[in-house]
Amino acid sequence: MTLNNESVNSPVGIFDSGLGGLTVVKAVRERMPKEDVIYYGDTAHVPYGSKSQETILSFTQDAVDFFLSHDVKCIVIACNTATALALPEIKATSPVPVLGVIDAGARAAISASKNYKIGVIGTQATIASEAYTKTLRKLNPACAIYAHPCPLFVPLVEEGWLDRPATKMVIEEYLKPLKMAQIDTLILGCTHYPLLAGSISEFLGPDVKLVDSASSCAEELEGILREKGLLRSEGTGSETFFVTDGAAKFAETGSRFLGRSLQAIKFTPSK
Ligand code: DGL
C-alpha cells in the first residue's frame, strides 16, 4: 500500500486478542474523534497470554492482513501480549506504520516514578518475554524493575468480578511482593487490568501510581499521524468492530471496557 493524500481518510486499525483493546479505542476516539476506527478482536483465539510466540505471531499477522485488506493507514497493536511477542516482526514487514502499547507504557512509567522502583504486571507470555523490562532499562538503566505475571486477572475481569472478595485475595497474593519492594509506580501491562485499578490501588495505597498505556498510546498515534500528514482535520469519525467469534458476548462485556454500548459489531472468520 502506498501512503498518499487519500490515505488521510483511511481508517486506523486497532487490534486485540479479544475485547481488552477497547480501552485503547476509547482513548483514541476521545483524543481523535474525527478518525474512523476499525477494531479487530480475535475472540476465537483469546487468551493469547498463555500461548507460544509462534502462535501469537501467526494470529497477529492474520489481524494485520485483515487490516491491510481494509486499507488502514496505521495499525495499533493494543494487546500487550501481541506487542511483546510480535511487534518487531510485524513492524519489519508492514507497509503502514504499526505501534504497540509497551513503549508508551514504559515511557509513562519512567516519567511517573520518583524512586525508580517500578512494578510491571501482565500475562505469563508478556512477563516471560521481558519486553517491558528491556524497554524500561533502555529508558533508564538505573531503574529497579519488579515484574510479575497475574494470569488470573483476565478471567476475573471478563467475569465482571472487579471488586469481589475473591478478586481482592488474588490481588493481594500477586502484588504483595511488589508492595514489599516499595514500588512507587505500577505498569498495568495488560489490556484488562485498568478495570481492576480501583481494587489494585486500594491494596497498594494511594502513593503508588498506576500506569496504563491506553492514553499514552493514543498520544503516540496522534504524533505519528500528524508527522506523516495522515491526521484527519474534518469528519465525524466512526467505529466498526470485527470479532472472530461471539459477537453477542463481545457486545455485552465490551461495553464495560468502552464505558458505553457498542454498535456495528461484525463477525469475520479467523483463518
Ligand atoms: N490482550 C491481552 C494483553 O493485553 C490479555 C488477554 C489475553 O491473554 O489474550 O496482554
Side-chain angles (χ1 to χ4, degrees):
M1 180 201 242
T2 320
L3 292 180
N4 53 36
N5 284 342
E6 284 164 29
S7 304
V8 173
N9 292 324
S10 298
V12 169
I14 300 182
F15 162 59
D16 184 50
S17 57
L19 42 75
L22 293 173
T23 50
V24 174
V25 172
K26 189 168 177 234
V28 167
R29 298 281 293 141
E30 277 167 13
R31 198 173 181 97
M32 291 162 277
K34 293 172 181 147
E35 298 294 335
D36 290 338
V37 168
I38 293 186
Y39 183 85
Y40 178 98
D42 191 11
T43 41
H45 295 129
V46 71
Y48 283 12
S50 50
K51 295 192 168 68
S52 69
Q53 176 172 28
E54 203 182 10
T55 301
I56 294 163
L57 184 54
S58 145
F59 291 160
T60 308
Q61 187 59 59
D62 291 347
V64 169
D65 293 344
F66 173 86
F67 285 136
L68 295 178
S69 73
H70 284 76
D71 291 330
V72 299
K73 60 182 172 185
C74 188
I75 296 170
V76 180
I77 300 185
C79 175
N80 288 258
T81 306
T83 302
L85 280 302
L87 184 65
E89 285 84 350
I90 296 292
K91 255 186 163 169
T93 54
S94 170
V96 298
V98 185
L99 70 149
V101 279
I102 290 185
D103 275 8
R107 265 187 278 107
I110 293 286
S111 53
S113 180
K114 296 245 177 334
N115 70 3
Y116 294 112
K117 290 184 178 179
I118 298 175
V120 182
I121 53 175
T123 64
Q124 243 137 9
T126 298
I127 298 303
S129 75
E130 297 192 339
Y132 271 108
T133 304
K134 288 175 194 155
T135 310
L136 286 164
R137 286 255 154 75
K138 237 187 255 163
L139 293 168
N140 183 341
C143 62
I145 301 152
Y146 303 87
H148 201 77
C150 302
L152 291 174
F153 283 179
V154 167
L156 286 169
V157 169
E158 298 227 342
E159 235 4 81
W161 286 27
L162 305 183
D163 55 7
R164 300 263 182 119
T167 307
K168 292 187 180 183
M169 275 170 67
V170 175
I171 288 175
E172 182 175 345
E173 184 78 26
Y174 281 150
L175 301 189
K176 208 191 279 168
L178 280 68
K179 189 173 184 173
M180 302 227 340
Q182 295 180 319
I183 57 162
D184 77 344
T185 305
L186 177 68
I187 300 180
L188 306 176
C190 172
T191 47
H192 288 57
Y193 300 177
L195 277 85
L196 293 175
S199 297
I200 290 175
S201 247
E202 199 178 292
F203 175 68
L204 290 177
D207 294 337
V208 178
K209 281 159 245 127
L210 305 186
V211 169
D212 90 74
S213 32
S215 55
S216 330
C217 176
E219 196 180 330
E220 192 179 333
L221 173 67
E222 188 180 27
I224 290 173
L225 295 180
R226 179 168 291 120
E227 183 196 308
K228 298 199 177 291
L230 292 173
L231 195 64
R232 277 181 93 168
S233 55
E234 50 197 35
T236 46
S238 67
E239 51 191 29
T240 314
F241 302 96
F242 290 90
V243 292
T244 53
D245 196 15
K249 168 117 196 296
F250 182 85
E252 186 200 315
T253 318
S255 59
R256 236 180 272 143
F257 284 77
L258 202 56
R260 56 183 159 82
S261 66
L262 279 88
Q263 314 294 329
I265 303 173
K266 299 178 182 175
F267 168 71
T268 181
S270 56
K271 278 191 190 162

